[in-house]
Amino acid sequence: MLLNLTIPALLFPAISLTMLAYNARYLAIAGLIRQLHKQFQETEASPLKKQIASLRKRLEIIKNMQATAIISFLLAAVTMFLVYVEFQILAKILFGISLVFLMISLILSLIEVQLSTKALGIQLKNMEK
């Protein structure tokens, strides 16, 4: 397979949009944490403690999602440079690694969405009581 500059360049918009989505998730969780902090100071309710543990786990996953997406982005850029200087074999290897990091990032995103949905389900149950 001949790797040219356009193939890794195709990852740039995908990874950029992914990073925007991850940052939006992070900002939403940050806002929720600030809101829960205020509620927690007023009443130390047990459901809030469960939410705090869930949010801590979700923040860790989002941090890892962002890190793996950034690594993927950097490796795609390095791949383009290697293609430019005609190091095809190394470029192919790094491009493959870049794709693996992108897949890991997307899998982490899926896990975080599942945790988010579970947390919303817990909150809905609390409201039904």
Side-chain angles (χ1 to χ4, degrees):
M1 174 183 118
L2 180 63
L3 188 63
N4 60 32
L5 285 174
T6 58
I7 294 173
L10 290 174
L11 281 183
F12 277 73
I15 296 171
S16 296
L17 289 174
T18 302
M19 290 298 297
L20 282 173
Y22 292 171
N23 284 335
R25 295 182 87 83
Y26 175 80
L27 292 173
I29 287 180
L32 181 59
I33 288 171
R34 288 183 184 96
Q35 180 184 9
L36 285 174
H37 180 263
K38 185 177 178 183
Q39 287 179 3
F40 189 75
Q41 285 179 329
E42 293 168 3
T43 106
E44 293 187 24
S46 178
L48 288 179
K49 290 181 181 181
K50 290 179 186 177
Q51 285 182 334
I52 290 168
S54 174
L55 288 171
R56 188 177 308 281
K57 185 184 290 185
R58 288 174 59 198
L59 275 177
E60 186 68 25
I61 291 171
I62 290 173
K63 177 185 78 170
N64 292 329
M65 286 166 31
Q66 290 175 326
T68 54
I70 290 168
I71 291 169
S72 176
F73 196 53
L74 286 171
L75 289 175
V78 171
T79 298
M80 289 176 60
F81 175 75
L82 291 172
V83 168
Y84 177 74
V85 295
E86 299 181 358
F87 288 136
Q88 284 290 320
I89 294 172
L90 188 55
K92 288 178 185 179
I93 292 169
L94 284 183
F95 184 63
I97 295 170
S98 174
L99 290 175
V100 168
F101 273 99
L102 181 58
M103 288 185 282
I104 291 169
S105 179
L106 293 172
I107 290 168
L108 288 171
S109 178
L110 177 64
I111 292 169
E112 197 277 329
V113 167
Q114 297 297 317
L115 286 173
S116 175
T117 304
K118 185 177 178 182
L120 288 173
I122 291 170
Q123 202 157 22
L124 287 172
K125 278 185 182 179
N126 285 337
M127 290 183 347
E128 289 174 343
K129 291 180 181 179

